[in-house]
Amino acid sequence: MEKELRIIISGGGTGGHIFPAVSIANAIREQHPTAQILFVGAEGRMEMQRVPEAGYDIKGLPICGFDRKNLLKNFRVLYKIWKSQRMAKNIIREFRPMAAVGVGGYASGPTLNTCAKMGIPCLIQEQNSYAGVTNKLLAKKAQKICVAYEGMERFFPKEKIVLTGNPVRQSLLDTTISREEAIRTFGLDANKKTILIVGGSLGAKTLNESVLHNLDLIKESGVQVIWQTGKFYYEAIEQTLKDRTDLSMIQAMPFISDMGVAYKAADLVISRAGASSISEFCLIGKAVILVPSPNVAEDHQTKNAQALVRKDAAIMVKDADAPQHLISEALQTVGDDNKLARLKANIVQLGMKDSAAIIAQEVVKLAQQTQTR
């Protein structure tokens, strides 16, 4: 079977979908080095760049989401769905996969639907505590559904569910640098408490405004800040900090390439509540304040955050409240060693190790079923 194992992995749109997808592919390759793996993504989305960077081939579909504000534009969307299904069928016929994996995102819909119609067993991986629309529709046709949270039988058939956790970037777990060394790489003082603020590669407007509205409070606190602003916001923020020569305790940058070092430097993290980020915090045992994005389907980030808050494993600040309350909450928390220790102890208990390897094993089992037919 080693020479014949062929797997399609489909989905993307955000790092929260792409990082787990690549981790699953890497785990399949570790278990079966000769496996052939093909990704199917959406044209113009970030997977078309990130997947080849990870060393895998990818095919793009012209798929996109429905426009809820301008219904007339959806005639074009329907055409793209029809075209994507035809293209997916051709891709599948040519590649001849033995199993298909869907990680969520536009492309996973037509790809896994077509695979199911052609008798190819399907596995879907749901990262969030509240299932996405695409995965809820695909669940009827999938053989296995890998989830990261308990209680997902309210969305999926119980007999199909496997509790695996979310795969995370292996580089985060392999970081061996000390906290002191990590802080010094950012030009900061290893003797001071450090808060890391991350809003994703594009940045988060609310998180950035929360900092900008409280620069004097940060300055007076004696705490230092590592701040990933996002590329879109960086230029204006950089100018603001340059105009203030008294804010050397704030190190801002558009993007942090080595998040393992950044996490190691941080006593407390402020972050959105994406499923992949939460899984990372659980595995590395990091105290975190979550600010769920209000701009996501089904408000799933709030549900992700609440799942941790109920277990006293994180603090949540609503997006609308963040500009007024986030920084004061963070400064109070980072100054309370007992609270930090409690948050770390509770969140690390929620981490699920070897998620990618477990999911890879499930994928291979489905592929073996195909071979024995």
Side-chain angles (χ1 to χ4, degrees):
M1 182 175 123
E2 290 284 340
K3 296 180 180 179
E4 296 184 47
L5 186 63
R6 295 180 304 281
I7 307 295
I8 269 186
I9 300 178
S10 185
T14 67
H17 289 138
I18 297 166
F19 293 140
V22 171
S23 295
I24 293 167
N26 291 341
I28 293 171
R29 280 272 174 85
E30 286 178 13
Q31 296 173 19
H32 299 271
T34 61
Q36 299 297 308
I37 298 173
L38 176 66
F39 281 75
V40 179
E43 292 176 355
R45 306 289 287 186
M46 65 187 294
E47 60 263 27
M48 301 307 295
Q49 176 185 347
R50 295 292 175 86
V51 168
E53 287 175 353
Y56 294 97
D57 294 332
I58 186 169
K59 302 282 188 181
L61 303 179
I63 189 78
C64 63
F66 283 100
D67 191 327
R68 298 179 182 179
K69 295 180 180 179
N70 190 335
L71 297 179
L72 291 177
K73 288 185 178 180
N74 288 325
F75 288 107
R76 184 171 177 80
V77 174
L78 290 171
Y79 170 73
K80 287 185 175 183
I81 293 173
W82 174 81
K83 185 177 180 181
S84 294
Q85 288 173 335
R86 286 177 61 90
M87 290 176 65
K89 191 172 185 178
N90 290 334
I91 291 168
I92 293 161
R93 279 178 171 169
E94 181 179 342
F95 184 68
R96 296 177 296 115
M98 300 164 68
V101 180
V103 296
Y106 298 136
S108 62
T111 304
L112 266 72
N113 270 323
T114 304
C115 282
K117 289 178 182 177
M118 298 173 70
I120 297 162
C122 299
L123 176 149
I124 59 176
Q125 197 250 334
E126 175 57 62
Q127 294 100 11
N128 294 293
S129 62
Y130 194 92
V133 174
T134 299
N135 277 349
K136 281 192 280 190
L137 292 173
L138 291 173
K140 300 173 184 177
K141 302 172 183 178
Q143 278 70 40
K144 291 289 182 180
I145 303 167
C146 295
V147 302
Y149 293 88
E150 296 175 349
M152 296 301 285
E153 57 270 12
R154 68 190 191 277
F155 303 111
F156 305 126
K158 186 175 182 179
E159 66 276 8
K160 295 183 179 182
I161 293 174
V162 183
L163 183 62
T164 62
N166 283 326
V168 302
R169 292 170 281 185
Q170 188 62 38
S171 60
L172 300 180
L173 306 179
D174 294 341
T175 302
T176 57
I177 191 171
S178 69
R179 174 187 175 275
E180 290 72 20
E181 290 171 320
I183 289 175
R184 283 195 285 268
T185 65
F186 291 98
L188 295 173
D189 186 345
N191 294 313
K192 292 185 176 181
K193 290 290 182 68
T194 304
I195 297 173
L196 169 66
I197 302 173
V198 287
S201 58
L202 298 178
K205 183 180 179 181
T206 299
L207 300 191
N208 290 341
E209 289 179 347
S210 299
V211 179
L212 291 171
H213 291 172
N214 293 278
L215 293 174
D216 289 331
L217 189 61
I218 294 171
K219 176 191 170 185
E220 295 163 4
S221 70
V223 170
Q224 55 197 6
V225 173
I226 301 168
W227 182 11
Q228 180 179 278
T229 65
K231 294 176 284 188
F232 180 77
Y233 303 98
Y234 177 68
E235 190 173 329
I237 289 172
E238 182 187 33
Q239 189 58 53
T240 297
L241 295 179
K242 280 183 177 179
D243 292 341
R244 291 280 304 265
T245 58
D246 57 343
L247 295 174
S248 60
M249 75 293 299
I250 300 176
Q251 290 295 316
M253 57 214 71
F255 182 73
I256 300 173
S257 56
D258 193 337
M259 285 304 301
V261 173
Y263 284 153
K264 186 70 75 168
D267 297 291
L268 175 71
V269 180
I270 296 173
S271 171
R272 288 303 200 187
S276 289
S277 296
I278 286 177
S279 294
E280 292 171 356
F281 301 142
C282 290
L283 282 171
I284 62 178
K286 190 59 61 175
V288 60
I289 296 178
L290 299 170
V291 185
S293 171
N295 306 312
V296 295
E298 310 285 357
D299 196 25
H300 67 252
Q301 286 202 6
T302 295
K303 297 175 177 72
N304 290 346
Q306 288 172 338
L308 270 67
V309 171
R310 283 194 293 269
K311 298 187 178 181
D312 194 23
I315 297 167
M316 185 180 82
V317 174
K318 292 181 180 179
D319 187 85
D321 296 337
Q324 295 299 319
H325 301 295
L326 175 60
I327 296 303
S328 58
E329 178 76 30
L331 294 175
Q332 185 275 327
T333 300
V334 81
D336 186 336
D337 288 338
N338 290 332
K339 191 171 187 178
L340 288 177
R342 188 177 74 249
L343 290 171
K344 291 177 184 178
N346 290 340
I347 199 169
V348 78
Q349 292 179 26
L350 304 179
M352 297 183 209
K353 297 180 179 179
D354 304 319
S355 296
I358 295 168
I359 295 170
Q361 290 169 3
E362 295 293 335
V363 175
V364 171
K365 287 179 189 176
L366 292 180
Q368 289 172 331
Q369 291 175 15
T370 303
Q371 189 188 42
T372 56
R373 288 178 185 172

